Amino acid sequence: MAAAAVDDDGDELRRRAALREVFGDSSDGESGDEPVAGAGREQWRWEAVEGAKGLWLCAAFLTADEQSRLLTAVRREGWFSDARNQAMRFGDLPSWAVELSALIHEAICVGDVDVGCGVEFKNEDEDACPLPSDLLWRKPLFDQMIANRYEPGEGICAHVDLMRFDDGIAIVSLESPCVMHFSRAEQQVPVCNTLESGQAESAKIPVYLNPGSLVVMSGDARYLWKHEINRKPGAQQWGGRELEQQIRTSITLRKLLASPN
């Protein structure tokens, strides 16, 4: 029992060290407490995206300093050094990705939620939570990760994530802002288009993803809605202006479905 306790203590120390490396320290903890990422700053606020049930946005998920530390951790992996723009990991995730998952869990548990019309709820209300409780408390929350690096003009075609992945998907955006569009999966919406006006375009729901934002999809948003990012010239419009495109990095976290017995 003593040896097990020592091992547990060592794991916890390594976890906290990884957390501090990526997300920094907090100066607001009580004396003697270990720093906790996210503590001592303004509480997270979740917005339910109107029109797509199960689609939630936390615009201020990561601070500027946390974004910088997370980008540094991603770059240290060396994934994008040989003209590659995507890296996938299954099961054995980098320590910083495990800590990112823990921070997502914390943000969902303690953040305020806004379901529209100026009404706010605490997350004790199951219907007003960015993830249902059966997903939020699964172990692990995520065990698959994709890191993508997009050059200016590069995006992703309209798609629903593969059914080999469970419900509940999280996407963290870094560096360049963009607009992600959601459209009903049963509609025959052209993919990889230039976002031309028309009936198909009017059915799309735009979501502005600023650097440091977090999008969570579950239920209808995960299974019945396609999502896409079109960064072709002239396609990225928000607030009546065209967004300036730079390199964009995204981190997607998902959970593999259990293999059938």
Short mmCIF file of all heavy atoms in Angstrom, two decimals, residues 179-226:
data_model
loop_
_atom_site.label_atom_id
_atom_site.label_comp_id
_atom_site.label_asym_id
_atom_site.label_seq_id
_atom_site.Cartn_x
_atom_site.Cartn_y
_atom_site.Cartn_z
N VAL A 179 -14.31 31.56 -39.20
CA VAL A 179 -15.74 31.28 -39.05
C VAL A 179 -15.98 29.83 -39.44
O VAL A 179 -15.61 29.40 -40.54
CB VAL A 179 -16.59 32.21 -39.93
CG1 VAL A 179 -18.08 31.87 -39.77
CG2 VAL A 179 -16.34 33.68 -39.57
N MET A 180 -16.58 29.08 -38.54
CA MET A 180 -16.98 27.70 -38.82
C MET A 180 -18.47 27.70 -39.11
O MET A 180 -19.25 28.30 -38.37
CB MET A 180 -16.66 26.78 -37.63
CG MET A 180 -17.10 25.34 -37.81
SD MET A 180 -16.64 24.28 -36.39
CE MET A 180 -14.89 24.02 -36.73
N HIS A 181 -18.87 27.05 -40.20
CA HIS A 181 -20.28 26.97 -40.56
C HIS A 181 -20.84 25.58 -40.27
O HIS A 181 -20.18 24.57 -40.53
CB HIS A 181 -20.47 27.29 -42.05
CG HIS A 181 -20.40 28.75 -42.37
ND1 HIS A 181 -19.21 29.41 -42.58
CD2 HIS A 181 -21.39 29.69 -42.49
CE1 HIS A 181 -19.45 30.68 -42.83
NE2 HIS A 181 -20.75 30.88 -42.78
N PHE A 182 -22.06 25.56 -39.73
CA PHE A 182 -22.77 24.32 -39.44
C PHE A 182 -24.00 24.23 -40.35
O PHE A 182 -24.71 25.22 -40.56
CB PHE A 182 -23.21 24.28 -37.98
CG PHE A 182 -22.06 24.10 -37.02
CD1 PHE A 182 -21.26 25.17 -36.66
CD2 PHE A 182 -21.77 22.85 -36.50
CE1 PHE A 182 -20.20 25.01 -35.79
CE2 PHE A 182 -20.70 22.67 -35.63
CZ PHE A 182 -19.91 23.76 -35.27
N SER A 183 -24.25 23.03 -40.89
CA SER A 183 -25.42 22.81 -41.75
C SER A 183 -25.98 21.43 -41.47
O SER A 183 -25.23 20.50 -41.12
CB SER A 183 -25.04 22.94 -43.23
OG SER A 183 -24.00 22.04 -43.56
N ARG A 184 -27.29 21.28 -41.61
CA ARG A 184 -27.93 20.00 -41.33
C ARG A 184 -27.38 18.92 -42.25
O ARG A 184 -27.21 19.10 -43.44
CB ARG A 184 -29.44 20.11 -41.53
CG ARG A 184 -30.14 21.04 -40.56
CD ARG A 184 -30.26 20.44 -39.17
NE ARG A 184 -31.13 19.29 -39.12
CZ ARG A 184 -31.52 18.70 -37.99
NH1 ARG A 184 -31.12 19.17 -36.81
NH2 ARG A 184 -32.30 17.65 -38.02
N ALA A 185 -27.08 17.77 -41.68
CA ALA A 185 -26.43 16.71 -42.44
C ALA A 185 -27.32 16.14 -43.54
O ALA A 185 -26.82 15.70 -44.57
CB ALA A 185 -26.01 15.58 -41.50
N GLU A 186 -28.64 16.17 -43.35
CA GLU A 186 -29.52 15.58 -44.36
C GLU A 186 -29.72 16.49 -45.56
O GLU A 186 -30.25 16.06 -46.58
CB GLU A 186 -30.87 15.22 -43.76
CG GLU A 186 -31.69 16.40 -43.26
CD GLU A 186 -31.48 16.67 -41.78
OE1 GLU A 186 -30.36 16.34 -41.29
OE2 GLU A 186 -32.40 17.17 -41.14
N GLN A 187 -29.28 17.75 -45.49
CA GLN A 187 -29.43 18.66 -46.61
C GLN A 187 -28.32 18.41 -47.63
O GLN A 187 -27.20 18.08 -47.28
CB GLN A 187 -29.36 20.12 -46.13
CG GLN A 187 -30.54 20.53 -45.27
CD GLN A 187 -30.38 21.94 -44.76
OE1 GLN A 187 -29.28 22.48 -44.72
NE2 GLN A 187 -31.49 22.55 -44.39
N GLN A 188 -28.64 18.58 -48.88
CA GLN A 188 -27.65 18.44 -49.94
C GLN A 188 -26.93 19.77 -50.12
O GLN A 188 -27.12 20.50 -51.07
CB GLN A 188 -28.33 18.01 -51.25
CG GLN A 188 -29.02 16.65 -51.17
CD GLN A 188 -28.03 15.55 -50.82
OE1 GLN A 188 -26.96 15.46 -51.41
NE2 GLN A 188 -28.39 14.70 -49.87
N VAL A 189 -26.07 20.06 -49.18
CA VAL A 189 -25.32 21.32 -49.22
C VAL A 189 -23.98 21.07 -49.90
O VAL A 189 -23.24 20.16 -49.52
CB VAL A 189 -25.07 21.85 -47.79
CG1 VAL A 189 -24.27 23.15 -47.84
CG2 VAL A 189 -26.42 22.09 -47.10
N PRO A 190 -23.64 21.83 -50.93
CA PRO A 190 -22.34 21.63 -51.59
C PRO A 190 -21.20 21.80 -50.60
O PRO A 190 -21.22 22.69 -49.76
CB PRO A 190 -22.31 22.73 -52.66
CG PRO A 190 -23.75 23.12 -52.86
CD PRO A 190 -24.41 22.92 -51.52
N VAL A 191 -20.20 20.92 -50.70
CA VAL A 191 -19.06 21.01 -49.79
C VAL A 191 -17.89 21.67 -50.50
O VAL A 191 -17.79 21.66 -51.72
CB VAL A 191 -18.65 19.60 -49.30
CG1 VAL A 191 -19.77 18.96 -48.52
CG2 VAL A 191 -18.23 18.72 -50.46
N CYS A 192 -17.00 22.27 -49.71
CA CYS A 192 -15.82 22.96 -50.24
C CYS A 192 -16.19 24.00 -51.28
O CYS A 192 -15.49 24.19 -52.27
CB CYS A 192 -14.83 21.95 -50.85
SG CYS A 192 -14.08 20.88 -49.62
N ASN A 193 -17.33 24.67 -51.09
CA ASN A 193 -17.71 25.72 -52.03
C ASN A 193 -17.11 27.04 -51.59
O ASN A 193 -16.30 27.11 -50.70
CB ASN A 193 -19.24 25.82 -52.14
CG ASN A 193 -19.91 26.05 -50.79
OD1 ASN A 193 -19.28 26.56 -49.86
ND2 ASN A 193 -21.16 25.67 -50.68
N THR A 194 -17.51 28.11 -52.23
CA THR A 194 -16.98 29.42 -51.88
C THR A 194 -18.01 30.24 -51.12
O THR A 194 -18.03 31.45 -51.16
CB THR A 194 -16.57 30.18 -53.16
OG1 THR A 194 -17.68 30.25 -54.07
CG2 THR A 194 -15.40 29.49 -53.85
N LEU A 195 -18.93 29.52 -50.42
CA LEU A 195 -19.95 30.17 -49.61
C LEU A 195 -20.77 31.15 -50.43
O LEU A 195 -21.00 32.28 -50.03
CB LEU A 195 -19.31 30.88 -48.41
CG LEU A 195 -18.52 29.98 -47.46
CD1 LEU A 195 -18.12 30.76 -46.23
CD2 LEU A 195 -19.32 28.76 -47.07
N GLU A 196 -21.22 30.71 -51.62
CA GLU A 196 -22.07 31.55 -52.44
C GLU A 196 -23.42 31.73 -51.77
O GLU A 196 -23.90 30.90 -51.03
CB GLU A 196 -22.25 30.92 -53.83
CG GLU A 196 -20.92 30.79 -54.60
CD GLU A 196 -21.11 30.05 -55.91
OE1 GLU A 196 -22.22 29.54 -56.12
OE2 GLU A 196 -20.15 30.00 -56.70
N SER A 197 -24.07 32.84 -52.06
CA SER A 197 -25.38 33.11 -51.49
C SER A 197 -26.40 32.19 -52.13
O SER A 197 -26.23 31.70 -53.24
CB SER A 197 -25.77 34.57 -51.73
OG SER A 197 -25.81 34.85 -53.11
N GLY A 198 -27.51 31.96 -51.42
CA GLY A 198 -28.56 31.09 -51.94
C GLY A 198 -29.24 30.36 -50.81
O GLY A 198 -28.93 30.57 -49.64
N GLN A 199 -30.14 29.47 -51.16
CA GLN A 199 -30.93 28.77 -50.15
C GLN A 199 -30.06 27.90 -49.25
O GLN A 199 -30.24 27.88 -48.04
CB GLN A 199 -31.99 27.90 -50.84
CG GLN A 199 -32.90 27.19 -49.85
CD GLN A 199 -34.01 26.44 -50.55
OE1 GLN A 199 -34.07 26.43 -51.78
NE2 GLN A 199 -34.89 25.82 -49.80
N ALA A 200 -29.07 27.18 -49.85
CA ALA A 200 -28.22 26.32 -49.05
C ALA A 200 -27.43 27.13 -48.05
O ALA A 200 -27.27 26.77 -46.89
CB ALA A 200 -27.28 25.51 -49.95
N GLU A 201 -26.91 28.28 -48.48
CA GLU A 201 -26.10 29.11 -47.60
C GLU A 201 -26.92 29.67 -46.46
O GLU A 201 -26.45 29.80 -45.33
CB GLU A 201 -25.46 30.24 -48.41
CG GLU A 201 -24.70 31.24 -47.58
CD GLU A 201 -23.57 30.59 -46.81
OE1 GLU A 201 -23.11 29.52 -47.22
OE2 GLU A 201 -23.16 31.15 -45.79
N SER A 202 -28.19 30.02 -46.72
CA SER A 202 -29.03 30.61 -45.67
C SER A 202 -29.32 29.62 -44.56
O SER A 202 -29.68 30.01 -43.45
CB SER A 202 -30.34 31.12 -46.28
OG SER A 202 -31.10 30.03 -46.79
N ALA A 203 -29.17 28.31 -44.86
CA ALA A 203 -29.44 27.29 -43.85
C ALA A 203 -28.23 27.04 -42.96
O ALA A 203 -28.30 26.27 -42.03
CB ALA A 203 -29.86 25.98 -44.53
N LYS A 204 -27.11 27.69 -43.25
CA LYS A 204 -25.90 27.49 -42.47
C LYS A 204 -25.87 28.41 -41.26
O LYS A 204 -26.33 29.55 -41.31
CB LYS A 204 -24.66 27.72 -43.33
CG LYS A 204 -24.47 26.69 -44.43
CD LYS A 204 -23.20 26.96 -45.21
CE LYS A 204 -23.00 25.91 -46.29
NZ LYS A 204 -21.75 26.16 -47.07
N ILE A 205 -25.32 27.88 -40.17
CA ILE A 205 -25.16 28.66 -38.95
C ILE A 205 -23.69 29.00 -38.79
O ILE A 205 -22.86 28.10 -38.65
CB ILE A 205 -25.66 27.88 -37.73
CG1 ILE A 205 -27.15 27.57 -37.85
CG2 ILE A 205 -25.36 28.64 -36.44
CD1 ILE A 205 -27.69 26.70 -36.74
N PRO A 206 -23.33 30.28 -38.82
CA PRO A 206 -21.93 30.66 -38.66
C PRO A 206 -21.55 30.81 -37.19
O PRO A 206 -22.32 31.32 -36.39
CB PRO A 206 -21.85 32.00 -39.39
CG PRO A 206 -23.22 32.59 -39.20
CD PRO A 206 -24.20 31.43 -39.15
N VAL A 207 -20.36 30.36 -36.84
CA VAL A 207 -19.84 30.49 -35.48
C VAL A 207 -18.43 31.08 -35.57
O VAL A 207 -17.56 30.51 -36.25
CB VAL A 207 -19.80 29.14 -34.75
CG1 VAL A 207 -19.23 29.31 -33.34
CG2 VAL A 207 -21.21 28.54 -34.67
N TYR A 208 -18.22 32.20 -34.92
CA TYR A 208 -16.92 32.87 -34.94
C TYR A 208 -16.00 32.23 -33.91
O TYR A 208 -16.31 32.17 -32.72
CB TYR A 208 -17.10 34.36 -34.63
CG TYR A 208 -15.79 35.14 -34.60
CD1 TYR A 208 -15.10 35.42 -35.77
CD2 TYR A 208 -15.27 35.59 -33.39
CE1 TYR A 208 -13.92 36.14 -35.74
CE2 TYR A 208 -14.09 36.32 -33.35
CZ TYR A 208 -13.41 36.58 -34.53
OH TYR A 208 -12.24 37.29 -34.49
N LEU A 209 -14.86 31.73 -34.38
CA LEU A 209 -13.89 31.07 -33.51
C LEU A 209 -12.66 31.96 -33.36
O LEU A 209 -11.79 31.99 -34.23
CB LEU A 209 -13.49 29.71 -34.09
CG LEU A 209 -14.62 28.71 -34.36
CD1 LEU A 209 -14.06 27.41 -34.89
CD2 LEU A 209 -15.45 28.48 -33.11
N ASN A 210 -12.63 32.71 -32.28
CA ASN A 210 -11.47 33.54 -31.99
C ASN A 210 -10.37 32.69 -31.38
O ASN A 210 -10.63 31.60 -30.86
CB ASN A 210 -11.84 34.67 -31.04
CG ASN A 210 -12.45 34.13 -29.76
OD1 ASN A 210 -13.62 33.77 -29.74
ND2 ASN A 210 -11.66 34.05 -28.70
N PRO A 211 -9.12 33.14 -31.45
CA PRO A 211 -8.04 32.40 -30.79
C PRO A 211 -8.33 32.23 -29.30
O PRO A 211 -8.73 33.16 -28.62
CB PRO A 211 -6.81 33.29 -31.01
CG PRO A 211 -7.14 34.07 -32.25
CD PRO A 211 -8.62 34.32 -32.18
N GLY A 212 -8.15 31.01 -28.82
CA GLY A 212 -8.43 30.71 -27.42
C GLY A 212 -9.85 30.23 -27.16
O GLY A 212 -10.20 29.93 -26.02
N SER A 213 -10.65 30.13 -28.20
CA SER A 213 -12.05 29.70 -28.03
C SER A 213 -12.14 28.18 -28.01
O SER A 213 -11.24 27.47 -28.47
CB SER A 213 -12.94 30.26 -29.14
OG SER A 213 -12.54 29.74 -30.40
N LEU A 214 -13.26 27.70 -27.49
CA LEU A 214 -13.53 26.27 -27.39
C LEU A 214 -14.95 26.00 -27.86
O LEU A 214 -15.90 26.64 -27.39
CB LEU A 214 -13.35 25.79 -25.95
CG LEU A 214 -13.88 24.39 -25.59
CD1 LEU A 214 -13.14 23.31 -26.37
CD2 LEU A 214 -13.77 24.15 -24.08
N VAL A 215 -15.10 25.07 -28.79
CA VAL A 215 -16.42 24.62 -29.25
C VAL A 215 -16.63 23.19 -28.78
O VAL A 215 -15.72 22.35 -28.88
CB VAL A 215 -16.53 24.68 -30.79
CG1 VAL A 215 -17.71 23.88 -31.29
CG2 VAL A 215 -16.68 26.12 -31.25
N VAL A 216 -17.82 22.92 -28.26
CA VAL A 216 -18.17 21.56 -27.83
C VAL A 216 -19.43 21.13 -28.58
O VAL A 216 -20.41 21.89 -28.63
CB VAL A 216 -18.39 21.50 -26.30
CG1 VAL A 216 -18.94 20.13 -25.90
CG2 VAL A 216 -17.10 21.79 -25.56
N MET A 217 -19.39 19.93 -29.14
CA MET A 217 -20.53 19.39 -29.89
C MET A 217 -20.97 18.07 -29.26
O MET A 217 -20.14 17.18 -29.01
CB MET A 217 -20.14 19.13 -31.34
CG MET A 217 -19.78 20.37 -32.14
SD MET A 217 -19.23 19.97 -33.83
CE MET A 217 -17.56 19.40 -33.51
N SER A 218 -22.26 17.94 -29.04
CA SER A 218 -22.82 16.67 -28.56
C SER A 218 -24.24 16.52 -29.09
O SER A 218 -24.84 17.50 -29.54
CB SER A 218 -22.81 16.60 -27.03
OG SER A 218 -23.70 17.55 -26.48
N GLY A 219 -24.76 15.31 -29.04
CA GLY A 219 -26.14 15.08 -29.47
C GLY A 219 -26.36 15.47 -30.92
O GLY A 219 -25.64 15.05 -31.82
N ASP A 220 -27.38 16.30 -31.16
CA ASP A 220 -27.72 16.72 -32.52
C ASP A 220 -26.54 17.37 -33.22
O ASP A 220 -26.27 17.10 -34.39
CB ASP A 220 -28.90 17.69 -32.49
CG ASP A 220 -30.22 17.02 -32.20
OD1 ASP A 220 -30.23 15.80 -31.93
OD2 ASP A 220 -31.27 17.70 -32.24
N ALA A 221 -25.84 18.26 -32.53
CA ALA A 221 -24.73 18.99 -33.14
C ALA A 221 -23.62 18.04 -33.58
O ALA A 221 -22.94 18.29 -34.58
CB ALA A 221 -24.18 20.03 -32.18
N ARG A 222 -23.44 16.96 -32.85
CA ARG A 222 -22.39 16.01 -33.21
C ARG A 222 -22.82 15.08 -34.35
O ARG A 222 -22.02 14.76 -35.24
CB ARG A 222 -22.00 15.18 -31.97
CG ARG A 222 -20.79 14.24 -32.19
CD ARG A 222 -21.26 12.86 -32.59
NE ARG A 222 -20.17 11.91 -32.75
CZ ARG A 222 -19.57 11.64 -33.90
NH1 ARG A 222 -19.96 12.27 -35.01
NH2 ARG A 222 -18.61 10.75 -33.99
N TYR A 223 -24.08 14.61 -34.34
CA TYR A 223 -24.50 13.59 -35.28
C TYR A 223 -25.33 14.11 -36.46
O TYR A 223 -25.31 13.50 -37.54
CB TYR A 223 -25.32 12.51 -34.56
CG TYR A 223 -24.51 11.70 -33.58
CD1 TYR A 223 -24.70 11.84 -32.21
CD2 TYR A 223 -23.56 10.79 -34.02
CE1 TYR A 223 -23.96 11.09 -31.30
CE2 TYR A 223 -22.82 10.03 -33.12
CZ TYR A 223 -23.02 10.19 -31.77
OH TYR A 223 -22.27 9.45 -30.87
N LEU A 224 -26.08 15.19 -36.27
CA LEU A 224 -27.02 15.65 -37.30
C LEU A 224 -26.59 16.93 -38.01
O LEU A 224 -27.28 17.38 -38.92
CB LEU A 224 -28.40 15.86 -36.67
CG LEU A 224 -29.02 14.65 -35.97
CD1 LEU A 224 -30.39 15.00 -35.41
CD2 LEU A 224 -29.09 13.45 -36.91
N TRP A 225 -25.46 17.50 -37.60
CA TRP A 225 -24.98 18.73 -38.23
C TRP A 225 -23.55 18.53 -38.75
O TRP A 225 -22.70 17.97 -38.06
CB TRP A 225 -24.98 19.88 -37.21
CG TRP A 225 -26.35 20.37 -36.88
CD1 TRP A 225 -27.23 19.81 -36.00
CD2 TRP A 225 -27.01 21.52 -37.43
NE1 TRP A 225 -28.40 20.54 -35.96
CE2 TRP A 225 -28.29 21.60 -36.83
CE3 TRP A 225 -26.63 22.49 -38.36
CZ2 TRP A 225 -29.19 22.61 -37.13
CZ3 TRP A 225 -27.53 23.50 -38.67
CH2 TRP A 225 -28.80 23.55 -38.06
N LYS A 226 -23.33 18.96 -39.99
CA LYS A 226 -21.99 19.01 -40.54
C LYS A 226 -21.32 20.32 -40.14
O LYS A 226 -22.00 21.32 -39.92
CB LYS A 226 -22.03 18.90 -42.07
CG LYS A 226 -22.59 17.59 -42.58
CD LYS A 226 -22.57 17.53 -44.10
CE LYS A 226 -23.58 18.46 -44.74
NZ LYS A 226 -23.67 18.27 -46.21
#
